[in-house]
PDB file of all heavy atoms in Angstrom:
ATOM      1  N   ASN A 363       0.809  -1.220   0.000  1.00  0.00           N
ATOM      2  CA  ASN A 363       0.000   0.000   0.000  1.00  0.00           C
ATOM      3  C   ASN A 363       0.843   1.270   0.000  1.00  0.00           C
ATOM      4  O   ASN A 363       0.311   2.364   0.220  1.00  0.00           O
ATOM      5  CB  ASN A 363      -0.932   0.002   1.214  1.00  0.00           C
ATOM      6  CG  ASN A 363      -1.853  -1.188   1.209  1.00  0.00           C
ATOM      7  OD1 ASN A 363      -2.529  -1.450   0.231  1.00  0.00           O
ATOM      8  ND2 ASN A 363      -1.869  -1.937   2.302  1.00  0.00           N
ATOM      9  N   MET A 364       2.130   1.128  -0.251  1.00  0.00           N
ATOM     10  CA  MET A 364       3.046   2.262  -0.296  1.00  0.00           C
ATOM     11  C   MET A 364       3.733   2.319  -1.652  1.00  0.00           C
ATOM     12  O   MET A 364       3.852   1.314  -2.357  1.00  0.00           O
ATOM     13  CB  MET A 364       4.104   2.133   0.812  1.00  0.00           C
ATOM     14  CG  MET A 364       3.540   2.069   2.220  1.00  0.00           C
ATOM     15  SD  MET A 364       4.827   1.727   3.459  1.00  0.00           S
ATOM     16  CE  MET A 364       3.826   1.521   4.938  1.00  0.00           C
ATOM     17  N   ILE A 365       4.201   3.504  -2.025  1.00  0.00           N
ATOM     18  CA  ILE A 365       4.997   3.712  -3.223  1.00  0.00           C
ATOM     19  C   ILE A 365       6.089   4.708  -2.873  1.00  0.00           C
ATOM     20  O   ILE A 365       5.845   5.668  -2.128  1.00  0.00           O
ATOM     21  CB  ILE A 365       4.131   4.197  -4.412  1.00  0.00           C
ATOM     22  CG1 ILE A 365       4.981   4.385  -5.678  1.00  0.00           C
ATOM     23  CG2 ILE A 365       3.356   5.461  -4.069  1.00  0.00           C
ATOM     24  CD1 ILE A 365       4.157   4.675  -6.931  1.00  0.00           C
ATOM     25  N   CYS A 366       7.305   4.471  -3.379  1.00  0.00           N
ATOM     26  CA  CYS A 366       8.456   5.295  -3.010  1.00  0.00           C
ATOM     27  C   CYS A 366       8.950   6.098  -4.197  1.00  0.00           C
ATOM     28  O   CYS A 366       8.789   5.708  -5.351  1.00  0.00           O
ATOM     29  CB  CYS A 366       9.594   4.416  -2.499  1.00  0.00           C
ATOM     30  SG  CYS A 366       9.153   3.372  -1.089  1.00  0.00           S
ATOM     31  N   ALA A 367       9.584   7.237  -3.890  1.00  0.00           N
ATOM     32  CA  ALA A 367      10.154   8.086  -4.928  1.00  0.00           C
ATOM     33  C   ALA A 367      11.338   8.845  -4.365  1.00  0.00           C
ATOM     34  O   ALA A 367      11.301   9.322  -3.230  1.00  0.00           O
ATOM     35  CB  ALA A 367       9.106   9.062  -5.460  1.00  0.00           C
ATOM     36  N   GLY A 368      12.384   8.955  -5.164  1.00  0.00           N
ATOM     37  CA  GLY A 368      13.566   9.689  -4.741  1.00  0.00           C
ATOM     38  C   GLY A 368      14.743   9.358  -5.637  1.00  0.00           C
ATOM     39  O   GLY A 368      14.649   8.515  -6.526  1.00  0.00           O
ATOM     40  N   ILE A 369      15.863  10.043  -5.391  1.00  0.00           N
ATOM     41  CA  ILE A 369      17.080   9.795  -6.155  1.00  0.00           C
ATOM     42  C   ILE A 369      18.150   9.278  -5.205  1.00  0.00           C
ATOM     43  O   ILE A 369      18.182   9.640  -4.023  1.00  0.00           O
ATOM     44  CB  ILE A 369      17.557  11.067  -6.880  1.00  0.00           C
ATOM     45  CG1 ILE A 369      17.704  12.253  -5.929  1.00  0.00           C
ATOM     46  CG2 ILE A 369      16.594  11.424  -8.010  1.00  0.00           C
ATOM     47  CD1 ILE A 369      18.239  13.524  -6.566  1.00  0.00           C
ATOM     48  N   PRO A 370      19.049   8.380  -5.692  1.00  0.00           N
ATOM     49  CA  PRO A 370      20.017   7.735  -4.793  1.00  0.00           C
ATOM     50  C   PRO A 370      20.879   8.705  -4.015  1.00  0.00           C
ATOM     51  O   PRO A 370      21.187   8.484  -2.844  1.00  0.00           O
ATOM     52  CB  PRO A 370      20.866   6.890  -5.759  1.00  0.00           C
ATOM     53  CG  PRO A 370      19.985   6.643  -6.934  1.00  0.00           C
ATOM     54  CD  PRO A 370      19.146   7.880  -7.075  1.00  0.00           C
ATOM     55  N   GLU A 371      21.272   9.818  -4.657  1.00  0.00           N
ATOM     56  CA  GLU A 371      22.164  10.760  -3.984  1.00  0.00           C
ATOM     57  C   GLU A 371      21.443  11.683  -3.014  1.00  0.00           C
ATOM     58  O   GLU A 371      22.073  12.464  -2.292  1.00  0.00           O
ATOM     59  CB  GLU A 371      22.918  11.602  -5.020  1.00  0.00           C
ATOM     60  CG  GLU A 371      22.039  12.495  -5.884  1.00  0.00           C
ATOM     61  CD  GLU A 371      21.549  11.829  -7.161  1.00  0.00           C
ATOM     62  OE1 GLU A 371      21.405  10.585  -7.177  1.00  0.00           O
ATOM     63  OE2 GLU A 371      21.313  12.573  -8.138  1.00  0.00           O
ATOM     64  N   GLY A 372      20.117  11.611  -2.961  1.00  0.00           N
ATOM     65  CA  GLY A 372      19.354  12.479  -2.081  1.00  0.00           C
ATOM     66  C   GLY A 372      19.301  13.901  -2.619  1.00  0.00           C
ATOM     67  O   GLY A 372      19.623  14.174  -3.771  1.00  0.00           O
ATOM     68  N   GLY A 373      18.846  14.810  -1.773  1.00  0.00           N
ATOM     69  CA  GLY A 373      18.796  16.210  -2.160  1.00  0.00           C
ATOM     70  C   GLY A 373      17.457  16.672  -2.684  1.00  0.00           C
ATOM     71  O   GLY A 373      17.237  17.880  -2.834  1.00  0.00           O
ATOM     72  N   LYS A 374      16.549  15.750  -2.977  1.00  0.00           N
ATOM     73  CA  LYS A 374      15.210  16.105  -3.444  1.00  0.00           C
ATOM     74  C   LYS A 374      14.203  15.215  -2.734  1.00  0.00           C
ATOM     75  O   LYS A 374      14.305  13.991  -2.796  1.00  0.00           O
ATOM     76  CB  LYS A 374      15.075  15.917  -4.962  1.00  0.00           C
ATOM     77  CG  LYS A 374      15.930  16.853  -5.787  1.00  0.00           C
ATOM     78  CD  LYS A 374      15.654  16.653  -7.283  1.00  0.00           C
ATOM     79  CE  LYS A 374      16.446  17.641  -8.118  1.00  0.00           C
ATOM     80  NZ  LYS A 374      16.122  17.505  -9.560  1.00  0.00           N
ATOM     81  N   ASP A 375      13.220  15.840  -2.076  1.00  0.00           N
ATOM     82  CA  ASP A 375      12.309  15.030  -1.268  1.00  0.00           C
ATOM     83  C   ASP A 375      11.192  15.917  -0.722  1.00  0.00           C
ATOM     84  O   ASP A 375      11.281  17.150  -0.737  1.00  0.00           O
ATOM     85  CB  ASP A 375      13.074  14.421  -0.095  1.00  0.00           C
ATOM     86  CG  ASP A 375      12.347  13.265   0.597  1.00  0.00           C
ATOM     87  OD1 ASP A 375      11.302  12.815   0.078  1.00  0.00           O
ATOM     88  OD2 ASP A 375      12.831  12.830   1.660  1.00  0.00           O
ATOM     89  N   SER A 376      10.149  15.278  -0.231  1.00  0.00           N
ATOM     90  CA  SER A 376       9.178  15.963   0.611  1.00  0.00           C
ATOM     91  C   SER A 376       9.747  16.023   2.027  1.00  0.00           C
ATOM     92  O   SER A 376      10.718  15.343   2.355  1.00  0.00           O
ATOM     93  CB  SER A 376       7.840  15.221   0.595  1.00  0.00           C
ATOM     94  OG  SER A 376       8.014  13.845   0.904  1.00  0.00           O
ATOM     95  N   CYS A 377       9.130  16.850   2.880  1.00  0.00           N
ATOM     96  CA  CYS A 377       9.690  17.045   4.223  1.00  0.00           C
ATOM     97  C   CYS A 377       8.568  17.398   5.194  1.00  0.00           C
ATOM     98  O   CYS A 377       7.376  17.307   4.852  1.00  0.00           O
ATOM     99  CB  CYS A 377      10.755  18.141   4.172  1.00  0.00           C
ATOM    100  SG  CYS A 377      11.947  18.095   5.537  1.00  0.00           S
ATOM    101  N   GLN A 378       8.927  17.828   6.424  1.00  0.00           N
ATOM    102  CA  GLN A 378       7.921  18.186   7.410  1.00  0.00           C
ATOM    103  C   GLN A 378       6.995  19.263   6.850  1.00  0.00           C
ATOM    104  O   GLN A 378       7.448  20.213   6.236  1.00  0.00           O
ATOM    105  CB  GLN A 378       8.564  18.719   8.694  1.00  0.00           C
ATOM    106  CG  GLN A 378       9.533  17.781   9.355  1.00  0.00           C
ATOM    107  CD  GLN A 378      10.963  18.227   9.129  1.00  0.00           C
ATOM    108  OE1 GLN A 378      11.368  18.501   8.012  1.00  0.00           O
ATOM    109  NE2 GLN A 378      11.733  18.262  10.202  1.00  0.00           N
ATOM    110  N   GLY A 379       5.702  19.079   7.054  1.00  0.00           N
ATOM    111  CA  GLY A 379       4.721  20.028   6.552  1.00  0.00           C
ATOM    112  C   GLY A 379       4.146  19.658   5.201  1.00  0.00           C
ATOM    113  O   GLY A 379       3.146  20.231   4.770  1.00  0.00           O
ATOM    114  N   ASP A 380       4.787  18.701   4.511  1.00  0.00           N
ATOM    115  CA  ASP A 380       4.281  18.245   3.215  1.00  0.00           C
ATOM    116  C   ASP A 380       3.301  17.085   3.351  1.00  0.00           C
ATOM    117  O   ASP A 380       2.628  16.730   2.376  1.00  0.00           O
ATOM    118  CB  ASP A 380       5.440  17.811   2.308  1.00  0.00           C
ATOM    119  CG  ASP A 380       6.303  18.977   1.872  1.00  0.00           C
ATOM    120  OD1 ASP A 380       5.745  20.062   1.625  1.00  0.00           O
ATOM    121  OD2 ASP A 380       7.534  18.802   1.777  1.00  0.00           O
ATOM    122  N   SER A 381       3.239  16.481   4.526  1.00  0.00           N
ATOM    123  CA  SER A 381       2.381  15.314   4.739  1.00  0.00           C
ATOM    124  C   SER A 381       0.971  15.533   4.214  1.00  0.00           C
ATOM    125  O   SER A 381       0.396  16.613   4.363  1.00  0.00           O
ATOM    126  CB  SER A 381       2.288  14.981   6.228  1.00  0.00           C
ATOM    127  OG  SER A 381       3.397  14.253   6.650  1.00  0.00           O
ATOM    128  N   GLY A 382       0.422  14.487   3.635  1.00  0.00           N
ATOM    129  CA  GLY A 382      -0.951  14.539   3.139  1.00  0.00           C
ATOM    130  C   GLY A 382      -1.076  15.122   1.755  1.00  0.00           C
ATOM    131  O   GLY A 382      -2.113  15.005   1.110  1.00  0.00           O
ATOM    132  N   GLY A 383       0.001  15.773   1.293  1.00  0.00           N
ATOM    133  CA  GLY A 383      -0.030  16.405  -0.023  1.00  0.00           C
ATOM    134  C   GLY A 383       0.107  15.405  -1.154  1.00  0.00           C
ATOM    135  O   GLY A 383       0.389  14.225  -0.941  1.00  0.00           O
ATOM    136  N   PRO A 384      -0.050  15.883  -2.386  1.00  0.00           N
ATOM    137  CA  PRO A 384      -0.092  14.975  -3.530  1.00  0.00           C
ATOM    138  C   PRO A 384       1.266  14.648  -4.128  1.00  0.00           C
ATOM    139  O   PRO A 384       2.172  15.480  -4.171  1.00  0.00           O
ATOM    140  CB  PRO A 384      -0.915  15.772  -4.545  1.00  0.00           C
ATOM    141  CG  PRO A 384      -0.604  17.204  -4.230  1.00  0.00           C
ATOM    142  CD  PRO A 384      -0.426  17.256  -2.737  1.00  0.00           C
ATOM    143  N   MET A 385       1.373  13.407  -4.610  1.00  0.00           N
ATOM    144  CA  MET A 385       2.388  13.025  -5.574  1.00  0.00           C
ATOM    145  C   MET A 385       1.636  12.672  -6.852  1.00  0.00           C
ATOM    146  O   MET A 385       0.790  11.773  -6.850  1.00  0.00           O
ATOM    147  CB  MET A 385       3.219  11.830  -5.105  1.00  0.00           C
ATOM    148  CG  MET A 385       4.269  11.422  -6.140  1.00  0.00           C
ATOM    149  SD  MET A 385       5.440  10.191  -5.535  1.00  0.00           S
ATOM    150  CE  MET A 385       4.434   8.708  -5.560  1.00  0.00           C
ATOM    151  N   VAL A 386       1.893  13.422  -7.919  1.00  0.00           N
ATOM    152  CA  VAL A 386       1.115  13.269  -9.141  1.00  0.00           C
ATOM    153  C   VAL A 386       2.008  12.873 -10.302  1.00  0.00           C
ATOM    154  O   VAL A 386       3.201  13.184 -10.344  1.00  0.00           O
ATOM    155  CB  VAL A 386       0.345  14.567  -9.494  1.00  0.00           C
ATOM    156  CG1 VAL A 386      -0.704  14.873  -8.431  1.00  0.00           C
ATOM    157  CG2 VAL A 386       1.300  15.755  -9.656  1.00  0.00           C
ATOM    158  N   VAL A 387       1.403  12.181 -11.263  1.00  0.00           N
ATOM    159  CA  VAL A 387       2.079  11.733 -12.471  1.00  0.00           C
ATOM    160  C   VAL A 387       1.229  12.145 -13.663  1.00  0.00           C
ATOM    161  O   VAL A 387      -0.004  11.994 -13.633  1.00  0.00           O
ATOM    162  CB  VAL A 387       2.282  10.200 -12.456  1.00  0.00           C
ATOM    163  CG1 VAL A 387       2.726   9.687 -13.819  1.00  0.00           C
ATOM    164  CG2 VAL A 387       3.299   9.809 -11.388  1.00  0.00           C
ATOM    165  N   GLU A 388       1.873  12.653 -14.696  1.00  0.00           N
ATOM    166  CA  GLU A 388       1.143  13.009 -15.914  1.00  0.00           C
ATOM    167  C   GLU A 388       0.943  11.760 -16.768  1.00  0.00           C
ATOM    168  O   GLU A 388       1.894  11.026 -17.046  1.00  0.00           O
ATOM    169  CB  GLU A 388       1.900  14.062 -16.715  1.00  0.00           C
ATOM    170  CG  GLU A 388       1.100  14.586 -17.904  1.00  0.00           C
ATOM    171  CD  GLU A 388       1.819  15.662 -18.673  1.00  0.00           C
ATOM    172  OE1 GLU A 388       3.039  15.850 -18.450  1.00  0.00           O
ATOM    173  OE2 GLU A 388       1.172  16.328 -19.501  1.00  0.00           O
ATOM    174  N   GLU A 389      -0.298  11.528 -17.139  1.00  0.00           N
ATOM    175  CA  GLU A 389      -0.645  10.355 -17.928  1.00  0.00           C
ATOM    176  C   GLU A 389      -1.674  10.771 -18.977  1.00  0.00           C
ATOM    177  O   GLU A 389      -2.766  11.209 -18.638  1.00  0.00           O
ATOM    178  CB  GLU A 389      -1.214   9.257 -17.020  1.00  0.00           C
ATOM    179  CG  GLU A 389      -1.468   7.946 -17.720  1.00  0.00           C
ATOM    180  CD  GLU A 389      -1.999   6.883 -16.766  1.00  0.00           C
ATOM    181  OE1 GLU A 389      -2.626   7.234 -15.738  1.00  0.00           O
ATOM    182  OE2 GLU A 389      -1.811   5.697 -17.059  1.00  0.00           O
ATOM    183  N   ASN A 390      -1.293  10.660 -20.236  1.00  0.00           N
ATOM    184  CA  ASN A 390      -2.180  11.030 -21.344  1.00  0.00           C
ATOM    185  C   ASN A 390      -2.704  12.459 -21.206  1.00  0.00           C
ATOM    186  O   ASN A 390      -3.883  12.742 -21.433  1.00  0.00           O
ATOM    187  CB  ASN A 390      -3.352  10.045 -21.444  1.00  0.00           C
ATOM    188  CG  ASN A 390      -2.886   8.626 -21.720  1.00  0.00           C
ATOM    189  OD1 ASN A 390      -1.958   8.406 -22.486  1.00  0.00           O
ATOM    190  ND2 ASN A 390      -3.534   7.660 -21.073  1.00  0.00           N
ATOM    191  N   GLY A 391      -1.794  13.352 -20.802  1.00  0.00           N
ATOM    192  CA  GLY A 391      -2.140  14.760 -20.739  1.00  0.00           C
ATOM    193  C   GLY A 391      -2.875  15.204 -19.497  1.00  0.00           C
ATOM    194  O   GLY A 391      -3.220  16.384 -19.377  1.00  0.00           O
ATOM    195  N   LYS A 392      -3.109  14.290 -18.560  1.00  0.00           N
ATOM    196  CA  LYS A 392      -3.770  14.645 -17.302  1.00  0.00           C
ATOM    197  C   LYS A 392      -2.898  14.219 -16.131  1.00  0.00           C
ATOM    198  O   LYS A 392      -2.198  13.211 -16.190  1.00  0.00           O
ATOM    199  CB  LYS A 392      -5.149  13.981 -17.207  1.00  0.00           C
ATOM    200  CG  LYS A 392      -6.153  14.529 -18.205  1.00  0.00           C
ATOM    201  CD  LYS A 392      -7.551  14.046 -17.896  1.00  0.00           C
ATOM    202  CE  LYS A 392      -8.582  14.718 -18.800  1.00  0.00           C
ATOM    203  NZ  LYS A 392      -9.963  14.349 -18.442  1.00  0.00           N
ATOM    204  N   TRP A 393      -2.985  15.010 -15.063  1.00  0.00           N
ATOM    205  CA  TRP A 393      -2.210  14.711 -13.868  1.00  0.00           C
ATOM    206  C   TRP A 393      -3.053  13.894 -12.908  1.00  0.00           C
ATOM    207  O   TRP A 393      -4.190  14.256 -12.591  1.00  0.00           O
ATOM    208  CB  TRP A 393      -1.733  16.006 -13.220  1.00  0.00           C
ATOM    209  CG  TRP A 393      -0.687  16.683 -14.063  1.00  0.00           C
ATOM    210  CD1 TRP A 393      -0.897  17.498 -15.130  1.00  0.00           C
ATOM    211  CD2 TRP A 393       0.723  16.554 -13.931  1.00  0.00           C
ATOM    212  NE1 TRP A 393       0.297  17.900 -15.672  1.00  0.00           N
ATOM    213  CE2 TRP A 393       1.314  17.343 -14.952  1.00  0.00           C
ATOM    214  CE3 TRP A 393       1.554  15.863 -13.041  1.00  0.00           C
ATOM    215  CZ2 TRP A 393       2.698  17.442 -15.113  1.00  0.00           C
ATOM    216  CZ3 TRP A 393       2.936  15.983 -13.193  1.00  0.00           C
ATOM    217  CH2 TRP A 393       3.487  16.755 -14.219  1.00  0.00           C
ATOM    218  N   LYS A 394      -2.471  12.779 -12.471  1.00  0.00           N
ATOM    219  CA  LYS A 394      -3.208  11.821 -11.643  1.00  0.00           C
ATOM    220  C   LYS A 394      -2.542  11.654 -10.285  1.00  0.00           C
ATOM    221  O   LYS A 394      -1.309  11.631 -10.167  1.00  0.00           O
ATOM    222  CB  LYS A 394      -3.318  10.486 -12.369  1.00  0.00           C
ATOM    223  CG  LYS A 394      -4.051  10.633 -13.708  1.00  0.00           C
ATOM    224  CD  LYS A 394      -4.394   9.314 -14.337  1.00  0.00           C
ATOM    225  CE  LYS A 394      -5.188   9.526 -15.629  1.00  0.00           C
ATOM    226  NZ  LYS A 394      -5.590   8.243 -16.237  1.00  0.00           N
ATOM    227  N   LEU A 395      -3.379  11.517  -9.267  1.00  0.00           N
ATOM    228  CA  LEU A 395      -2.921  11.382  -7.888  1.00  0.00           C
ATOM    229  C   LEU A 395      -2.514   9.933  -7.643  1.00  0.00           C
ATOM    230  O   LEU A 395      -3.363   9.063  -7.470  1.00  0.00           O
ATOM    231  CB  LEU A 395      -4.040  11.792  -6.926  1.00  0.00           C
ATOM    232  CG  LEU A 395      -3.713  11.744  -5.440  1.00  0.00           C
ATOM    233  CD1 LEU A 395      -2.675  12.793  -5.069  1.00  0.00           C
ATOM    234  CD2 LEU A 395      -4.986  11.932  -4.604  1.00  0.00           C
ATOM    235  N   VAL A 396      -1.218   9.675  -7.624  1.00  0.00           N
ATOM    236  CA  VAL A 396      -0.744   8.310  -7.435  1.00  0.00           C
ATOM    237  C   VAL A 396      -0.222   8.069  -6.021  1.00  0.00           C
ATOM    238  O   VAL A 396      -0.096   6.926  -5.589  1.00  0.00           O
ATOM    239  CB  VAL A 396       0.334   7.931  -8.466  1.00  0.00           C
ATOM    240  CG1 VAL A 396      -0.213   8.103  -9.876  1.00  0.00           C
ATOM    241  CG2 VAL A 396       1.601   8.750  -8.288  1.00  0.00           C
ATOM    242  N   GLY A 397       0.090   9.157  -5.286  1.00  0.00           N
ATOM    243  CA  GLY A 397       0.606   8.985  -3.944  1.00  0.00           C
ATOM    244  C   GLY A 397       0.203  10.128  -3.029  1.00  0.00           C
ATOM    245  O   GLY A 397      -0.119  11.232  -3.488  1.00  0.00           O
ATOM    246  N   VAL A 398       0.216   9.848  -1.729  1.00  0.00           N
ATOM    247  CA  VAL A 398      -0.042  10.843  -0.688  1.00  0.00           C
ATOM    248  C   VAL A 398       1.176  10.852   0.232  1.00  0.00           C
ATOM    249  O   VAL A 398       1.606   9.794   0.726  1.00  0.00           O
ATOM    250  CB  VAL A 398      -1.319  10.500   0.106  1.00  0.00           C
ATOM    251  CG1 VAL A 398      -1.494  11.441   1.292  1.00  0.00           C
ATOM    252  CG2 VAL A 398      -2.538  10.541  -0.798  1.00  0.00           C
ATOM    253  N   VAL A 399       1.756  12.026   0.460  1.00  0.00           N
ATOM    254  CA  VAL A 399       2.977  12.128   1.268  1.00  0.00           C
ATOM    255  C   VAL A 399       2.746  11.485   2.639  1.00  0.00           C
ATOM    256  O   VAL A 399       1.824  11.864   3.371  1.00  0.00           O
ATOM    257  CB  VAL A 399       3.415  13.593   1.441  1.00  0.00           C
ATOM    258  CG1 VAL A 399       4.672  13.668   2.319  1.00  0.00           C
ATOM    259  CG2 VAL A 399       3.676  14.246   0.089  1.00  0.00           C
ATOM    260  N   SER A 400       3.592  10.511   2.984  1.00  0.00           N
ATOM    261  CA  SER A 400       3.375   9.735   4.196  1.00  0.00           C
ATOM    262  C   SER A 400       4.555   9.796   5.164  1.00  0.00           C
ATOM    263  O   SER A 400       4.469  10.431   6.210  1.00  0.00           O
ATOM    264  CB  SER A 400       3.057   8.280   3.823  1.00  0.00           C
ATOM    265  OG  SER A 400       2.807   7.501   4.977  1.00  0.00           O
ATOM    266  N   TRP A 401       5.697   9.150   4.823  1.00  0.00           N
ATOM    267  CA  TRP A 401       6.783   9.090   5.792  1.00  0.00           C
ATOM    268  C   TRP A 401       8.145   8.927   5.107  1.00  0.00           C
ATOM    269  O   TRP A 401       8.239   8.840   3.894  1.00  0.00           O
ATOM    270  CB  TRP A 401       6.570   7.971   6.804  1.00  0.00           C
ATOM    271  CG  TRP A 401       6.587   6.563   6.245  1.00  0.00           C
ATOM    272  CD1 TRP A 401       5.545   5.904   5.644  1.00  0.00           C
ATOM    273  CD2 TRP A 401       7.685   5.652   6.253  1.00  0.00           C
ATOM    274  NE1 TRP A 401       5.935   4.649   5.277  1.00  0.00           N
ATOM    275  CE2 TRP A 401       7.240   4.457   5.640  1.00  0.00           C
ATOM    276  CE3 TRP A 401       9.004   5.714   6.720  1.00  0.00           C
ATOM    277  CZ2 TRP A 401       8.062   3.334   5.483  1.00  0.00           C
ATOM    278  CZ3 TRP A 401       9.826   4.604   6.563  1.00  0.00           C
ATOM    279  CH2 TRP A 401       9.355   3.431   5.953  1.00  0.00           C
ATOM    280  N   GLY A 402       9.164   8.882   5.917  1.00  0.00           N
ATOM    281  CA  GLY A 402      10.525   8.673   5.438  1.00  0.00           C
ATOM    282  C   GLY A 402      11.504   8.889   6.577  1.00  0.00           C
ATOM    283  O   GLY A 402      11.144   9.420   7.622  1.00  0.00           O
ATOM    284  N   TYR A 403      12.749   8.460   6.392  1.00  0.00           N
ATOM    285  CA  TYR A 403      13.800   8.715   7.377  1.00  0.00           C
ATOM    286  C   TYR A 403      14.436  10.053   7.038  1.00  0.00           C
ATOM    287  O   TYR A 403      15.188  10.178   6.066  1.00  0.00           O
ATOM    288  CB  TYR A 403      14.855   7.612   7.352  1.00  0.00           C
ATOM    289  CG  TYR A 403      14.421   6.299   7.970  1.00  0.00           C
ATOM    290  CD1 TYR A 403      15.089   5.115   7.673  1.00  0.00           C
ATOM    291  CD2 TYR A 403      13.350   6.234   8.851  1.00  0.00           C
ATOM    292  CE1 TYR A 403      14.708   3.907   8.235  1.00  0.00           C
ATOM    293  CE2 TYR A 403      12.957   5.034   9.417  1.00  0.00           C
ATOM    294  CZ  TYR A 403      13.631   3.873   9.108  1.00  0.00           C
ATOM    295  OH  TYR A 403      13.253   2.680   9.672  1.00  0.00           O
ATOM    296  N   GLY A 404      14.130  11.071   7.825  1.00  0.00           N
ATOM    297  CA  GLY A 404      14.651  12.393   7.561  1.00  0.00           C
ATOM    298  C   GLY A 404      14.090  12.967   6.276  1.00  0.00           C
ATOM    299  O   GLY A 404      13.020  12.568   5.802  1.00  0.00           O
ATOM    300  N   CYS A 405      14.812  13.924   5.702  1.00  0.00           N
ATOM    301  CA  CYS A 405      14.402  14.562   4.448  1.00  0.00           C
ATOM    302  C   CYS A 405      15.575  14.575   3.483  1.00  0.00           C
ATOM    303  O   CYS A 405      16.650  15.086   3.822  1.00  0.00           O
ATOM    304  CB  CYS A 405      13.953  16.003   4.689  1.00  0.00           C
ATOM    305  SG  CYS A 405      12.540  16.200   5.787  1.00  0.00           S
ATOM    306  N   ALA A 406      15.348  14.028   2.301  1.00  0.00           N
ATOM    307  CA  ALA A 406      16.312  14.113   1.192  1.00  0.00           C
ATOM    308  C   ALA A 406      17.661  13.475   1.516  1.00  0.00           C
ATOM    309  O   ALA A 406      18.694  13.868   0.959  1.00  0.00           O
ATOM    310  CB  ALA A 406      16.495  15.569   0.766  1.00  0.00           C
ATOM    311  N   ARG A 407      17.684  12.484   2.392  1.00  0.00           N
ATOM    312  CA  ARG A 407      18.935  11.795   2.681  1.00  0.00           C
ATOM    313  C   ARG A 407      19.262  10.817   1.549  1.00  0.00           C
ATOM    314  O   ARG A 407      18.355  10.259   0.918  1.00  0.00           O
ATOM    315  CB  ARG A 407      18.829  11.028   3.999  1.00  0.00           C
ATOM    316  CG  ARG A 407      18.598  11.897   5.218  1.00  0.00           C
ATOM    317  CD  ARG A 407      18.533  11.047   6.486  1.00  0.00           C
ATOM    318  NE  ARG A 407      18.188  11.834   7.660  1.00  0.00           N
ATOM    319  CZ  ARG A 407      18.058  11.318   8.884  1.00  0.00           C
ATOM    320  NH1 ARG A 407      18.259  10.019   9.069  1.00  0.00           N
ATOM    321  NH2 ARG A 407      17.733  12.095   9.898  1.00  0.00           N
TER     322      ARG A 407
END
């Protein structure tokens, strides 16, 4: 029930205060809600 996103070197991520917000993907010209900001170890590590 989870999906992850990030880059190996870190530096880009959601953080405190972003919880509950959208992670969206463009599909056939429309943006779709594929994830809801949930958790992680720190930010952008």
Side-chain angles (χ1 to χ4, degrees):
N363 301 308
M364 301 173 187
I365 181 172
C366 303
I369 53 177
E371 63 270 28
K374 294 184 177 183
D375 196 8
S376 52
C377 201
Q378 303 105 310
D380 291 323
S381 279
M385 179 171 75
V386 295
V387 169
E388 187 178 13
E389 186 179 26
N390 299 321
K392 292 191 174 185
W393 290 83
K394 300 190 177 182
L395 182 67
V396 303
V398 173
V399 179
S400 181
W401 65 277
Y403 286 160
C405 299
R407 297 181 185 179

